[in-house]
Amino acid sequence: MLWINFKIYKQSFGEGALKLARACQKVVDETGVKIIPVVSAFDLVRVKEVFSGEVWVQHLDFYFEGKHTGWLSPLQALALGAGGSLLNHSEHKLPPGQIRQTVAYLKRKKWVEHWEKEVDSIEKFKIMVCFGSQGQAKSWLRKLDPQPDFVAYEPAELIGGKVSVAQSQPAMIKNMVELMAGYNLVVGAGVHCAADVKKAIELGAVGVLVSSDVVKAKNPQKELLELALAFGK
Ligand code: G3P
């Protein structure tokens, strides 16, 4: 699986997000590889019009509905058809307590019972909790109950660069795979070629998170195709 985080690069503003989403769709159609655009909340609805698979948002807050201003409501995301969300990306960190609280709320039956009338497909909503280091993952994973659908390892210092986590930290990825046995581990940061994807998968990751290589590319579709083909069919 390949998550493409559109972030808020200017290339994803306005029509840009739609162009990127269309490129994702073409590559899905051509390769059959599962690609998930991770978009700004502003673009969720528009992107869903041009992309047929799951579309995620980049962040959610712990405010659901009511007298709250400017927050990103998980309930609203669901009602608009979001398939999931990142939490605690290194560019949008959350206090550990809030991560626990959000995962617990979204993954427990309590939430379903409480809101099932408002939104359907509530149980399919996915959460990926991101960690920037092994230490962070260690201390938080013990407390993440129930589990998120995915956990991601992304060393912040490699994000947006040309040196990938897969090539520069293979031993760390192996450690993370062991530490997170039983979790679906995704890795990201600096991923920019097929070899990076292959290496990540070979080391035990179930997928990769990519941003700048695709979003800032002259030809995003070409870059995406190269990364997708690395998964094989
Ligand atoms: O969420 C993915 C991201 O942080 C990785 O960014 O630009 O290094 O692919 P990038």
Side-chain angles (χ1 to χ4, degrees):
M1 271 183 277
L2 190 49
W3 282 262
I4 307 299
N5 185 350
F6 290 15
K7 302 201 177 180
I8 53 166
Y9 284 121
K10 65 176 188 294
Q11 288 86 344
S12 66
F13 288 0
E15 186 62 21
L18 298 180
K19 278 192 193 148
L20 285 165
R22 287 191 193 103
C24 291
Q25 185 68 59
K26 284 196 181 132
V27 175
V28 170
D29 294 343
E30 191 171 338
T31 63
V33 170
K34 181 159 182 177
I35 296 177
I36 300 176
V38 184
V39 306
S40 152
F42 289 124
D43 289 317
L44 172 65
V45 173
R46 292 180 339 134
V47 166
K48 279 188 63 67
E49 283 164 12
V50 300
F51 185 80
S52 64
E54 280 174 41
V55 180
W56 287 24
V57 290
Q58 297 168 13
H59 174 79
L60 288 175
D61 294 303
F62 198 73
Y63 289 99
F64 291 82
E65 68 89 31
K67 199 174 68 170
H68 310 291
T69 299
W71 300 96
L72 293 176
S73 155
L75 182 61
Q76 198 173 17
L78 260 157
L80 294 174
S85 179
L86 306 182
L87 274 188
N88 196 44
H89 191 282
S90 61
E91 292 151 4
H92 201 146
K93 288 193 188 134
L94 293 170
Q98 193 176 328
I99 298 171
R100 274 199 302 283
Q101 198 182 22
T102 309
V103 174
Y105 201 89
L106 290 173
K107 288 286 144 201
R108 284 208 176 113
K109 273 200 128 242
K110 196 172 84 182
W111 147 270
V112 177
E113 282 155 16
H114 196 55
W115 297 113
E116 68 187 339
K117 285 191 209 77
E118 270 75 19
V119 279
D120 42 4
S121 76
I122 203 159
E123 278 170 316
K124 292 189 202 136
F125 193 76
K126 313 256 176 35
I127 295 288
M128 181 188 292
V129 177
C130 305
F131 297 106
S133 71
Q134 197 181 15
Q136 206 182 41
K138 258 188 192 159
S139 63
W140 290 357
L141 276 178
R142 266 178 277 146
K143 300 166 198 156
L144 281 177
D145 173 36
Q147 290 189 359
D149 303 278
F150 300 94
V151 287
Y153 170 59
E154 291 200 309
E157 67 279 9
L158 298 180
I159 291 179
K162 279 284 178 202
V163 177
S164 81
V165 61
Q167 302 297 342
S168 65
Q169 299 192 1
M172 178 59 88
I173 294 179
K174 269 194 155 176
N175 289 344
M176 294 294 272
V177 168
E178 278 167 28
L179 176 71
M180 294 176 178
Y183 287 83
N184 294 312
L185 178 72
V186 173
V187 297
V191 171
H192 61 276
C193 63
D196 295 336
V197 174
K198 282 192 179 140
K199 186 80 186 167
I201 301 303
E202 179 190 306
L203 291 166
V206 300
V208 294
L209 256 168
V210 183
S211 182
S212 50
D213 179 61
V214 172
V215 178
K216 295 171 77 181
K218 278 205 179 98
N219 185 340
Q221 192 178 327
K222 187 166 158 262
E223 289 301 318
L224 254 173
L225 184 62
E226 182 193 346
L227 300 178
L229 287 173
F231 283 93
K233 277 223 173 177

